[in-house]
Amino acid sequence: MPTSRLFAETKIPHQKNYGGVDFPAVLSPAAVVSHNPSVLTAAVKDQKPWLDSLLHRHGAILFRGFDSSATASDFNDVVEAFGYDELPYVGGAAPRTNVVGRVFTANESPPDQKIPFHHEMAQVPEYPSKLFFFCELEPASSGETPIVLSHVVYERMKETYPDFVEKLEKHGLIYTRVLGEEDDPSSPIGRGWKSTFLTKDKIVAEERAAKLNMKLEWTKDGVKTIMGPIPAIKYDETRQRKIWFNSMVAAYTGWKDARNDPEKAVTFGDGNPLPGHIIYDCLKILEEESIAIPWQKGDVLLIDNLAVLHARRPFAPPRRILASLCK
């Protein structure tokens, strides 16, 4: 692949290599640049086709060393420069706050909580194809966003548990989550139904849920959402390989709060329970194959959501990671 004249492909200790392809790709300025947030934005606009092909090959790109003084607004400019359409955050579980333009906070759950591996919004039919993350304030310690290649997880699970994977491919998954009326910032899945469906009107919420093929069961102080059966394994047409496109491990090990029991949060599509020991073995595989690059201020991480799962490690504050979702 030809090298861009504006970007230098660099190596960092945390990268993995699969079949001669680094994961993720890491790009830095090709020459010494002044601390000017517009440098990365201009470079993206100039090299967009090359960056698209790089993302398709590597699954994720870390932009590092461009400007440690970049702001949320500068990050929004970078997102806009790529030209991807924005995806409204309807149906997702994480509590988030809009910061500027297309930029939101990443999951606002407490810092001592781990967020398990998942494809963004894999539990709903309309999910983002691309995710951007931006480090506005690096953590005092830990707080990485581990990433892992989805097809690698599928291949290892298929080899280790072929019958389980066959059943997943046949039946898919059903996700169940109980929402309160308002957001609960103490929970990693604490988004209330009003912000989940971007309305205060139950009728409008039901209409928007129906578009997602989601069933709603209203309770005294909230609503139970039921999604599925929905595929747990997808075929990535552009790369011609199967991917582990689900939130099974995240739901089974992490969808826990005052309203939700994680072991009831996800089942096979025929309603039968999932085998817990296999879920936890899958978690081990995810951890073994993942990489966790410590954040540096000004970092921008672009993820192909069809190729890569991501997570969040607990951290010592302060830490501020911003995000943007694209169709």
Side-chain angles (χ1 to χ4, degrees):
M1 180 180 292
T3 303
S4 161
R5 60 186 174 81
L6 299 176
F7 294 102
E9 292 188 62
T10 58
K11 302 278 189 181
I12 57 174
H14 303 82
Q15 283 169 299
K16 285 183 179 284
N17 189 282
Y18 293 95
V21 179
D22 289 330
F23 176 68
V26 180
L27 298 182
S28 297
V32 176
V33 296
S34 61
H35 287 292
N36 185 342
S38 64
V39 169
L40 179 54
T41 301
V44 167
K45 289 179 178 178
D46 187 80
Q47 298 290 296
K48 173 68 163 51
W50 180 78
L51 290 169
D52 282 339
S53 64
L54 195 75
L55 180 65
H56 187 266
R57 178 172 168 79
H58 294 264
I61 304 173
L62 174 66
F63 298 89
R64 171 164 284 181
F66 285 89
D67 184 25
S68 61
S69 66
T71 64
S73 181
D74 298 325
F75 172 50
N76 189 71
D77 290 343
V78 171
V79 173
E80 292 280 3
F82 273 91
Y84 305 134
D85 291 336
E86 182 179 9
L87 180 78
Y89 190 54
V90 178
R96 301 177 187 266
T97 303
N98 183 234
V99 178
V100 60
R102 297 169 56 167
V103 174
F104 288 76
T105 55
N107 192 316
E108 295 176 342
S109 62
D112 63 337
Q113 295 186 7
K114 177 182 178 180
I115 299 173
F117 284 99
H118 60 287
H119 283 279
E120 190 67 30
M121 298 172 68
Q123 73 277 12
V124 294
E126 188 174 3
Y127 47 81
S129 67
K130 311 286 191 303
L131 311 175
F132 288 89
F133 292 102
F134 167 66
C135 181
E136 187 176 50
L137 187 61
E138 63 190 61
S141 66
S142 196
E144 298 94 342
T145 300
I147 54 177
V148 60
L149 285 166
S150 191
H151 75 284
V152 173
V153 179
Y154 171 80
E155 288 165 4
R156 286 197 56 185
M157 285 296 293
K158 180 75 171 177
E159 180 181 358
T160 309
Y161 294 108
D163 293 343
F164 173 75
V165 172
E166 183 181 348
K167 191 171 180 180
L168 270 185
E169 295 197 63
K170 180 180 179 180
H171 296 291
L173 293 167
I174 294 174
Y175 299 92
T176 302
R177 188 164 59 93
V178 180
L179 286 62
E181 186 171 319
E182 305 295 340
D183 290 357
D184 176 6
S186 71
S187 167
I189 55 164
R191 205 168 179 223
W193 69 261
K194 290 181 178 178
S195 57
T196 295
F197 299 109
L198 306 178
T199 183
K200 297 179 180 179
D201 188 325
K202 289 184 178 180
I203 294 175
V204 175
E206 289 180 355
E207 290 172 350
R208 291 177 178 169
K211 289 180 180 178
L212 297 172
N213 295 320
M214 180 187 290
K215 303 181 189 74
L216 300 186
E217 296 178 2
W218 295 99
T219 63
K220 182 174 66 174
D221 59 351
V223 64
K224 177 190 282 190
T225 65
I226 303 165
M227 172 60 70
I230 193 167
I233 311 295
K234 288 186 180 292
Y235 186 74
D236 183 348
E237 297 281 355
T238 66
R239 298 178 178 89
Q240 298 187 330
R241 63 196 186 195
K242 288 185 176 180
I243 53 175
W244 192 252
F245 195 84
N246 60 69
S247 295
M248 180 185 72
V249 169
Y252 195 92
T253 68
W255 285 14
K256 182 178 181 180
D257 61 15
R259 300 173 185 273
N260 292 274
D261 176 355
E263 292 188 13
K264 297 178 181 177
V266 58
T267 66
F268 281 117
D270 61 3
N272 284 316
L274 298 171
H277 70 286
I278 294 181
I279 305 300
Y280 282 96
D281 278 356
C282 182
L283 176 58
K284 289 179 185 177
I285 289 172
L286 287 159
E287 294 284 359
E288 288 169 4
E289 297 293 347
S290 70
I291 69 157
I293 301 171
W295 284 110
Q296 293 183 11
K297 195 173 185 298
D299 280 352
V300 173
L301 177 63
L302 170 58
I303 292 175
D304 184 328
N305 193 40
L306 274 172
V308 174
L309 301 96
H310 68 281
R312 188 198 77 180
R313 289 183 176 172
F315 62 92
R319 174 190 189 267
R320 186 168 165 89
I321 304 298
L322 305 180
S324 187
L325 311 183
C326 305
K327 289 183 178 179

